[in-house]
Amino acid sequence: MKLAVIIATFGRKEQLAHLLEHLGRQERLPDEVVVSAPDETHVPAYEKPKFPISIVLGRRGLCAQRNQALDKVLERFDVITFFDDDFIPEDNYLRLVDRAFHDHEDWAVVMGHVVKDGARTAGLSWAEGLQVLAAERSKMPVKPKIVDHVGAYGCNMSIRMKFIGKLRFDERLVLYGWQEDIDFTSQLRRFGRVIGLSTLHGVHLGLKIGRVSGERFGYSQIINPIYLIRKGSVPASFALPLMGRNLAANLVRSLWPEPYIDRRGRLRGNLIALAHLLKGRIEPEYIQKIAA
């Protein structure tokens, strides 16, 4: 199987340099890594790696950048693995992905187990992420646990290329996207299973640089799920509870916000979105009109 890795990046040159170097430790090297960025200022200098690297430039926003990378690899690979630029995969990650798709023809999407997610905390440094990964190594299950999902978590997800066809990430989910991963991968369930595999380990650093403002993100937390329900790609049984949990968390924690999360900004964004919903306005791209 030919396997490519796609990394969309924005404002994280140092972390991207770490990841490109780290991928050289994979037991099964990628056949190509495609880095997608708005321009060359987001791409670090790097030493000649053990695998080919292609750089595609010109578009901004997670969905747009992933789409321009997909166009680069179309029909040349069997499997595409998406890594966030702040994700650290275990050294056997790509080898296990290759085996999973080889052994299971009915699997369309495979995502790994995030042993620690810095997006839920203040975030992790690269060194801290490596420490977590090393500590979890001895706990890795011998027999994989296989779980079906509505969609995949985009920080680490692999897709059988032949099922993608003309499908692309929805560019109405602008900037950071949010739920673009669920939207995209849930549409692939008509071709095969969307699987979470417990033996695929990695750490998501959850860096706060390169993300949108609290108010913009809060708006997306409400509007994007409703938009995807209306689009028909994500079931209401998944999207509405997600929306409700986020709204409740922002409401309660805005009284005593975490220092690393702009809860009050998120709540303001939630309320703007709810006001728009009452007017029948479902416009994910509106966040571009909210101050950064």
Side-chain angles (χ1 to χ4, degrees), residues 171-189:
E171 295 187 26
R172 290 196 66 188
L173 306 176
V174 295
L175 302 181
Y176 186 59
W178 206 71
Q179 298 304 299
E180 88 298 329
D181 45 6
I182 301 293
D183 170 51
F184 186 83
T185 55
S186 67
Q187 295 179 72
L188 295 168
R189 284 188 296 148

Side-chain angles (χ1 to χ4, degrees), residues 1 9 20 39 50 58 63 104 112 159 168 171 179 204 222 249 251 292:
M1 278 191 180
T9 190
L20 292 176
D39 57 62
K50 299 178 181 179
C63 292
H104 302 275
I159 301 169
R168 294 294 182 271
E171 295 187 26
Q179 298 304 299
H204 185 213
I222 301 298
L251 184 61

Side-chain angles (χ1 to χ4, degrees), residues 69-223:
L70 276 176
D71 290 340
K72 174 76 175 177
V73 301
L74 196 63
E75 298 180 357
R76 293 197 293 120
F77 295 91
D78 301 298
V79 175
I80 306 297
T81 294
F82 290 93
F83 286 143
D84 277 5
D85 54 12
D86 61 347
F87 182 79
I88 309 178
E90 182 56 271
D91 293 346
N92 62 2
Y93 191 104
L94 295 180
R95 176 175 62 82
L96 294 179
V97 165
D98 191 307
R99 180 192 297 173
F101 282 105
H102 182 273
D103 293 347
H104 302 275
E105 286 291 331
D106 62 328
W107 289 7
V109 181
V110 174
M111 67 174 174
H113 173 56
V114 179
V115 297
K116 188 163 186 178
D117 192 351
R120 302 176 184 274
T121 66
L124 303 168
S125 69
W126 184 265
E128 288 170 335
L130 289 177
Q131 289 173 358
V132 170
L133 205 54
E136 291 290 328
R137 199 162 288 144
S138 62
K139 305 175 187 177
M140 186 177 294
V142 176
K143 186 176 181 180
K145 182 180 179 182
I146 300 167
V147 180
D148 287 274
H149 289 268
V150 170
Y153 187 11
C155 71
N156 77 118
M157 59 183 185
S158 301
I159 301 169
R160 197 181 295 276
M161 189 69 189
K162 69 179 182 180
F163 293 149
I164 294 177
K166 296 181 179 179
L167 181 65
R168 294 294 182 271
F169 290 89
D170 190 336
E171 295 187 26
R172 290 196 66 188
L173 306 176
V174 295
L175 302 181
Y176 186 59
W178 206 71
Q179 298 304 299
E180 88 298 329
D181 45 6
I182 301 293
D183 170 51
F184 186 83
T185 55
S186 67
Q187 295 179 72
L188 295 168
R189 284 188 296 148
R190 65 182 182 270
F191 301 114
R193 296 168 68 184
V194 176
I195 293 296
L197 198 58
S198 63
T199 47
L200 283 179
H201 278 194
V203 172
H204 185 213
L205 302 180
L207 300 179
K208 304 304 183 268
I209 57 172
R211 298 198 176 212
V212 298
S213 69
E215 196 165 319
R216 282 178 165 182
F217 187 61
Y219 188 87
S220 296
Q221 285 181 315
I222 301 298
I223 288 296

